[in-house]
Amino acid sequence: MPGKLQPDILQKSVLSYIGAEREDLIIGGGLAEDAALIKIPAGLLVIASDPIVGAEKNSGRLLVQVNANDVACKGADPMWLIVTLIIPEAGGVLQVERIMREINKTCSEMGIAVAGGHTEMTDRYSQPVISGTMFGITEYKFSVKNISDGDLILITGHAGLEGMSIIANDRADLFAKIFNSDEINLIRSWSENLSVVPAAKILREFANYMHDPTEGGINGALYEICAASGLGVELEKNNIPIDEFTIRAAKELNFEPLNLISSGMLIASIPENKIKDAQSKLKSAGINSSVIGKFVSGKKIFFNAHEELWGILSRRKFAK
């Protein structure tokens, strides 16, 4: 039936998945609890909210990662998550519980408490609607307006990794003539590595600004940054890491990898005198990084911000 879950089902399939236990969460999600009560430490409260609309498999893990990434880009440790699940009747309680298990596992790994949210069944949609709101505390005041003329553009990760993992998980038929089964499974595993939180924790002491490129990929992210900051970029395109698998897929499926959704990458604006130390700390933590250019005044914005994933996912299914 459409509407809220019955109390016994809600308790078993949703409220038992609370992520990490945190002493600062005084009252979390529970029956007859309308809101969470959290003891806030000193600092600035960071809040970010994102849905998952392009992925079906691993959607719970993605929900945690993309929201945690946004909070981390403001220099905060992700602490508390609010989850909203609107699930089609056809998916049933099994779909609710699958998503909550993924959320619980990912939050537990990252020290994040599931503080509450809302869950219901609907007959209005054929696909689940899931959204998260993440909270954290920071002492930093990162803003796109803090970018300085001459700041270097440092990135971690590789272009299109989130989009590639979504295609491999949800539309493997598109990859069937490009990759063998082991290669497809490897690309699927990229969904386990979409967190930029470790890199952001290192770079927050060096950066003027950090950003997680999602829809539109790195081109879309740079377009947004330039439009907001009033700066342009001198881009060294050959320095942008693109995995060999992504290059092969882009050639065969005819898409631009720099416009493919790219959570798991981190873009940071770093003063030139801090870049060496920043990259050294990343390397010591086992995180690869690349300098792909610099922000400059007086340069024209030239990036195309469209997202490639939606057109790829809408293509006809290949016959086996």
Side-chain angles (χ1 to χ4, degrees), residues 5-21:
L5 300 182
Q6 292 298 310
D8 58 333
I9 298 174
L10 188 67
Q11 190 71 54
K12 174 182 180 295
S13 300
V14 177
L15 298 176
S16 60
Y17 298 108
I18 61 171
E21 292 188 6

Side-chain angles (χ1 to χ4, degrees), residues 217-291:
I218 190 167
N219 276 346
L222 290 175
Y223 179 86
E224 290 179 352
I225 294 169
C226 290
S229 68
L231 296 170
V233 301
E234 290 180 358
L235 189 65
E236 298 177 29
K237 194 171 180 180
N238 290 336
N239 286 359
I240 299 175
I242 308 176
D243 191 270
E244 176 192 350
F245 290 161
T246 305
I247 294 171
R248 284 166 56 187
K251 181 179 179 180
E252 294 295 328
L253 298 177
N254 190 29
F255 68 84
E256 171 53 69
L258 300 186
N259 281 99
L260 187 60
I261 188 168
S262 293
S263 278
M265 292 189 76
L266 178 64
I267 298 176
S269 169
I270 310 286
E272 189 170 4
N273 64 345
K274 297 182 179 180
I275 197 71
K276 184 176 179 180
D277 289 341
Q279 288 195 283
S280 177
K281 275 207 167 183
L282 287 170
K283 185 176 180 180
S284 295
I287 300 171
N288 293 326
S289 65
S290 303
V291 175

Side-chain angles (χ1 to χ4, degrees), residues 7-85:
D8 58 333
I9 298 174
L10 188 67
Q11 190 71 54
K12 174 182 180 295
S13 300
V14 177
L15 298 176
S16 60
Y17 298 108
I18 61 171
E21 292 188 6
R22 297 185 59 93
E23 293 183 359
D24 47 32
L25 182 61
I26 309 304
I27 297 175
L31 293 175
E33 297 290 359
D34 292 327
L37 183 63
I38 299 171
K39 184 177 181 181
I40 301 292
L44 303 172
L45 180 64
V46 180
I47 307 170
S49 184
D50 256 330
I52 296 297
V53 295
E56 294 182 20
K57 296 180 181 177
N58 297 318
S59 55
R61 185 170 184 83
L62 280 172
L63 183 75
V64 179
Q65 290 172 327
V66 299
N67 281 285
N69 286 352
D70 286 347
V71 166
C73 284
K74 290 298 184 188
D77 295 333
M79 297 177 176
W80 313 286
L81 177 69
I82 299 292
V83 178
T84 297
L85 302 181

Side-chain angles (χ1 to χ4, degrees), residues 119-138:
T119 305
E120 69 176 84
M121 298 292 188
T122 182
D123 57 6
R124 302 290 181 90
Y125 308 117
S126 60
Q127 297 294 326
V129 177
I130 69 174
S131 181
T133 302
M134 187 74 74
F135 301 81
I137 302 293
T138 188

